[in-house]
Amino acid sequence: MHKARTPRHGDGPAEVSRGRSSLPLVQVKGRIVSRKEQSMDDSHPTLWQQAPDEGGYGSPGRGGTDAGDREASTEGTASAEGRALTAYLMEEVCDPANLNEAYFRVVSNKGAAGVDGMHVDELRSWIRENKQALISSLLDGGYRPQPVKGVQIPKPGGKGKRQLGIPTVVDRLVQQAIYQVLSPILEPTFSPMSFGFRPGRSAHDALRQAQAYVMDDRPWVVDLDLEKFFDRVNHDMLMARLARHVSDKRLLRIVRRFLEADLMHSGVVVGVVTRREGTPQGGPLSPLLANLLLDDLDKELEKRGHRFVRYADDCNIYVRSPKAGERVMESVTRFLEGRLKLKVNQSKSAVAEVHRRKFLGYRLFGDGSLGIAPESLARLKAKIRRLTRRNVPRRLSETVGRVNLLIRGWVGYFHLARGRSHLADVDGWLRQGVVAYDAVASVAPRDEPSVVPGARACESGQRVRPLARETKPPWCRAGMPGGVRAGGG
């Protein structure tokens, strides 16, 4: 028996890794919602509402249940009884409250247009014209997603590229609606040591758990890297695991179609032949389905009594000695490649002391404390360098605003680390970079004073402008007395 779904604000994948919501909850028509969700519901109360004489698509006569009649249970197992109750999940997917919530989540997440060119601000008018056809295709299982738009982005450190798949806005709406129904069914069955893309869990929670293992005298880590995980997910294996929890064949059919959707690059369809593996990152369902497949790994590690932390496809196992680490690496690699048909990247995986590896951008030390990984500092400086590129025509105030936004987010994420000296180094490096940018930008007339993040504002832009007449490179000029004063030094 699974717990009947209670729509909540923050169920969407874009929010689940940011920790628990602190929004106050209120009761609206028999269901618990946040005040923010209540305000959203009030602003668009009839987006998915049907006329009374049309027959509700969530009515008991069609297999649906009203919110007040849904039976709640604390059991999250995939028992036969619980699976039998999932025979009519598409009625829950098409429930007006669920679709309304999915709509607001997709709109708030924004995102790029898919292959059809439709943007999120066009979705509302599309729903008004096509909602009955959409709901009918979902209820009869005939819904067919459009190809996903393939986009490749560089991986951190410039090591290869990561394949993203951007579904159309309508497909994202359907995926989000399905996610909101599947998540309460699957989440209770997942391991407590899995932290990635899950409600109420964050990267900081994973790091604190890793700290606890290291302080429990486990200073060695088995760092597993799965090679192109999202490109190698086997569809048959994934659907077999989903069928353990869900018996609604319509929902299973639509989920498989999402997995097998063609991939389009630059207007050319790549996946003319039906794909048998891979779930491109970019859709709301992908993180949940990835956790479902890797839950087999979690259960195996728990059965063996290992101390581990998994965040999406990053898995660290903490052991007491290098010899134990080598044994674990060999046996777990055999399990992943034999049972789950996944490939372990041998060049990136390793058994090492914890301070020699990075995890989620941090570095763990032998005493359990956290530091900032050198690669994370290098990426920050690279981003600052791009933002302060001197050949981009941009006002100084706009550049400073962008840099401040980056720094606030970066410091907020790395606040668990001990890194005062690193931050002081970045601060000095940042001031010099912005002053060098200002020295070049000040050649053109302007009507505003210089402002440097983390430093005092210049009393007058005139203090920096003389530097523009120097013949030395901007980085050298930034260290001259005029530049130091402008940077608040």
Side-chain angles (χ1 to χ4, degrees), residues 109-122:
N109 288 344
K110 299 181 180 179
V115 296
D116 61 354
M118 182 191 295
H119 295 276
V120 291
D121 54 2
E122 303 173 67

Side-chain angles (χ1 to χ4, degrees), residues 145 235-236 255-263 271 273-278:
H235 294 172
D236 292 335
V255 170
R256 180 177 278 277
R257 286 174 184 157
F258 275 120
L259 292 174
E260 296 176 347
D262 293 330
L263 189 65
V273 179
T274 301
R275 296 183 295 123
R276 296 295 180 187
E277 63 179 15

Side-chain angles (χ1 to χ4, degrees), residues 282-474:
L285 267 178
S286 293
L288 181 67
L289 297 178
N291 276 331
L292 176 62
L293 181 65
L294 289 176
D295 189 58
D296 279 24
L297 171 63
D298 299 340
K299 296 297 192 293
E300 182 68 18
L301 295 177
E302 288 175 348
K303 186 172 69 175
R304 299 182 185 184
H306 291 313
R307 305 295 190 270
F308 72 98
V309 174
R310 184 176 66 79
Y311 192 93
D313 57 337
D314 290 333
C315 184
N316 280 4
I317 306 170
Y318 296 89
V319 295
R320 299 186 188 277
S321 68
K323 184 177 291 187
E326 295 295 343
R327 288 197 306 267
V328 171
M329 174 69 82
E330 182 181 353
S331 62
V332 173
T333 299
R334 192 163 51 245
F335 173 84
L336 286 167
E337 296 183 348
R339 180 81 66 85
L340 299 183
K341 308 302 180 186
L342 299 173
K343 185 174 179 59
V344 175
N345 190 328
Q346 298 294 341
S347 63
K348 294 183 178 180
S349 302
V351 177
E353 293 175 284
V354 291
H355 70 274
R356 298 186 182 278
R357 306 294 293 182
K358 67 180 178 70
F359 182 50
L360 301 177
Y362 281 77
R363 180 169 59 171
L364 264 167
F365 294 101
D367 60 356
S369 61
L370 290 168
I372 303 172
E375 298 90 336
S376 300
L377 287 168
R379 284 199 295 270
L380 173 65
K381 290 185 176 182
K383 289 179 181 178
I384 294 174
R385 192 176 291 113
R386 286 196 298 270
L387 289 175
T388 57
R389 194 174 295 162
R390 292 177 291 278
N391 59 354
V392 178
R394 188 187 300 140
R395 296 179 71 85
L396 179 64
S397 58
E398 183 181 352
T399 297
V400 169
R402 295 188 181 194
V403 171
N404 277 336
L405 188 64
L406 169 66
I407 294 296
R408 279 196 295 268
W410 192 87
V411 171
Y413 178 75
F414 285 101
H415 75 272
L416 296 181
R418 63 181 194 193
R420 185 176 296 272
S421 60
H422 292 309
L423 292 178
D425 174 62
V426 169
D427 183 66
W429 187 87
L430 173 60
R431 293 185 189 192
Q432 190 178 26
V434 175
V435 172
Y437 175 88
D438 187 37
V440 174
S442 61
V443 174
R446 62 182 182 181
D447 56 359
E448 59 183 39
S450 302
V451 181
V452 179
R456 297 188 300 274
C458 294
E459 296 176 4
S460 170
Q462 297 293 334
R463 297 183 105 174
V464 184
R465 288 176 196 169
L467 295 178
R469 294 195 291 268
E470 295 291 336
T471 58
K472 295 181 179 179

